[in-house]
Structures are given as C-alpha cells and as structure tokens.
Amino acid sequence: MSAANEKSFYLTTPIYYVNDAPHIGHAYTTVAGDVLTRWHRQRGESVWFLTGTDEHGQKVMRTAEQNKTSPQEWVDRLVEDAWKPVWRSLNIANDDFIRTTEPRHTERVQKFLQNLKDKGFIYSGKYQGPYCVGCEEFKLPGDLLEVNGEKLCPIHSKPIELVDENNWFFKLSAFVEPLLAHYKANPDACQPESARNEVISFLEGGVSDLSISRSTFDWGIPVPWD
Ligand SMILES: [Zn+2]
C-alpha cells in the first residue's frame, strides 16, 4: 500500500438551505465536490462525500405558510421533487445525503448542545437587535445598509426585522485565546495560508458570544433542556 492510500478524505458541500429549488450556484458547488471526490477515488484513496439540506428556520416556515402547507410537507416535497433529482441527473457521486429534519441529525445536535451546556458554555440571555430572515442570521447594527432611512440587510438589500427575545447564547468568546494558541502551535491545522490568516484576523478582531436559539417560532430542533 502506498503512502497516499493510507490517507482518508472527507468532503462536504454546505448543507443547503431549502426554501426553494436548487439554482446554478448549488450545482456549481456540488459538481466541484464531485470532481474532487472522483479524483481521490481514481487515486485509490479513501474518500467520503456528503451533501444535504438544511430544512429549519423562519424562512422555510414562512414559505410553507405562503404555499398553504406545513414546513415538513414543504421540505419533503422540495427535497424529493427538486433537490435529489438534480443531483441524480448530474450524476453526483455523493456517499450520503443528510437532511436536518432526520432523527439521526436532530438527536446528534441535541446531544452536542447538552454536552456544551453541561460544560458551562451555554447561558441564557436577552437578545435585542436586527435579524435578516433571508440570511436566517442576526446582524450587527454597523453591518446594515441605510437607504431612505430604512435599515437593510447588506446581502439581500431587504429590510431587517428587529428581534427582542430571550435566547440561549454560546460562549464563543471563551474560545478566542485557545484557538489563537492552537493555530500558532499548529500552522497546518487550517489551510491554505490565506484562509488561516482570515480566521486569525477574525479572532483577533474580537468575537461576541453567539445567540444559538430562537424563541418566537418553533420550526427548529428543540433545545433539549428548555
Ligand atoms: Zn440577508
């Protein structure tokens, strides 16, 4: 067995957000992963290629409502009628297709969250601030566009919503120093160098704790202790 054969590779696309059918950008990313996977296989290397769909969040819930159906029925239909057929017709060589509504995913997420909570990395707090439903993401006030006195998401150019709710927060800030020390001691941990520099400058720029739950709607994975 050659040295190359002893290596294993894991490839994944982003787990795509499915409020609608796939577009050319999804196809581009998935084909790129497919090419890399086939290249490894051709070299006789062990490789595992994952793709899948992120099916939770307010945007899916609202799109389902607009189409007069439940979120689960909406994503089931999209995945079976739109997503999987596209990958079949492009002959994508993925080993697995994961959906965030599958029990194997939701159970693992809950276990992961509970573990973080037990270790003291999750706390309850009040979140007030701008939220973009298009991004499914909280925004920093300084990141918004202002057009005619209205605050817009810089990615979607659509009005943001002001969210005021009690959420669970992840102590991301507690990991800044250990991560910086890790990247310094292990320069190969993140490659290429340009990506590592980006991560390091992000960390050095100061990192806020992350709001990781929503309390005003329920199309998501339930927080196990709440
Ligand atoms: Zn947005």
Side-chain angles (χ1 to χ4, degrees):
M1 196 183 246
S2 74
N5 284 340
E6 291 158 22
K7 282 188 184 172
S8 291
F9 296 87
Y10 170 64
L11 264 114
T12 182
T13 67
I15 302 304
Y16 301 119
Y17 199 69
V18 288
N19 65 312
D20 211 337
H23 56 64
I24 194 76
H26 299 115
Y28 167 77
T29 307
T30 310
V31 167
D34 181 69
V35 168
L36 206 48
T37 300
R38 289 173 190 272
W39 181 73
H40 283 301
R41 285 195 189 135
Q42 227 167 32
R43 290 162 58 93
E45 292 163 346
S46 160
V47 58
W48 184 262
F49 181 28
L50 176 75
T51 188
T53 43
D54 176 2
E55 306 180 357
H56 290 115
Q58 207 164 3
K59 192 160 57 167
V60 163
M61 200 183 75
R62 287 187 186 170
T63 316
E65 276 167 12
Q66 283 157 15
N67 286 276
K68 300 191 170 43
T69 181
S70 73
Q72 188 66 62
E73 281 168 343
W74 176 246
V75 293
D76 284 349
R77 199 195 304 164
L78 270 174
V79 167
E80 293 306 325
D81 297 352
W83 287 78
K84 286 183 172 174
V86 168
W87 302 153
R88 274 197 295 272
S89 63
L90 287 172
N91 198 21
I92 300 298
N94 55 303
D95 295 286
D96 199 359
F97 185 102
I98 191 152
R99 301 179 54 185
T100 57
T101 53
E102 287 177 80
R104 62 175 172 150
H105 177 77
T106 56
E107 283 161 15
R108 193 67 194 85
V109 167
Q110 290 186 321
K111 216 172 144 187
F112 180 72
L113 283 180
Q114 188 65 57
N115 187 23
L116 287 177
K117 176 86 167 19
D118 294 345
K119 288 181 173 156
F121 291 120
I122 291 182
Y123 62 93
S124 150
K126 197 166 180 58
Y127 186 88
Q128 281 179 305
Y131 186 85
C132 173
V133 176
C135 297
E136 290 288 2
E137 200 175 84
F138 293 105
K139 298 285 169 188
L140 296 172
D143 292 342
L144 302 175
L145 298 174
E146 190 161 347
V147 179
N148 301 327
E150 197 172 31
K151 306 272 191 194
L152 308 178
C153 165
I155 293 165
H156 290 92
S157 299
K158 284 186 183 162
I160 48 89
E161 299 183 11
L162 281 173
V163 165
D164 183 354
E165 56 184 44
N166 288 312
N167 290 343
W168 293 98
F169 285 79
F170 171 59
K171 270 188 204 168
L172 185 60
S173 55
F175 291 83
V176 170
E177 289 310 320
L179 279 171
L180 285 171
H182 176 75
Y183 290 128
K184 201 173 174 188
N186 305 278
D188 292 340
C190 179
Q191 295 177 38
E193 196 184 338
S194 58
R196 185 175 67 247
N197 291 340
E198 201 179 317
V199 169
I200 288 173
S201 68
F202 174 79
L203 290 168
E204 284 174 340
V207 170
S208 314
D209 291 344
L210 215 56
S211 169
I212 55 163
S213 68
R214 296 295 311 272
S215 57
T216 50
F217 69 97
D218 63 0
W219 180 238
I221 297 171
V223 173
W225 60 85
D226 193 357

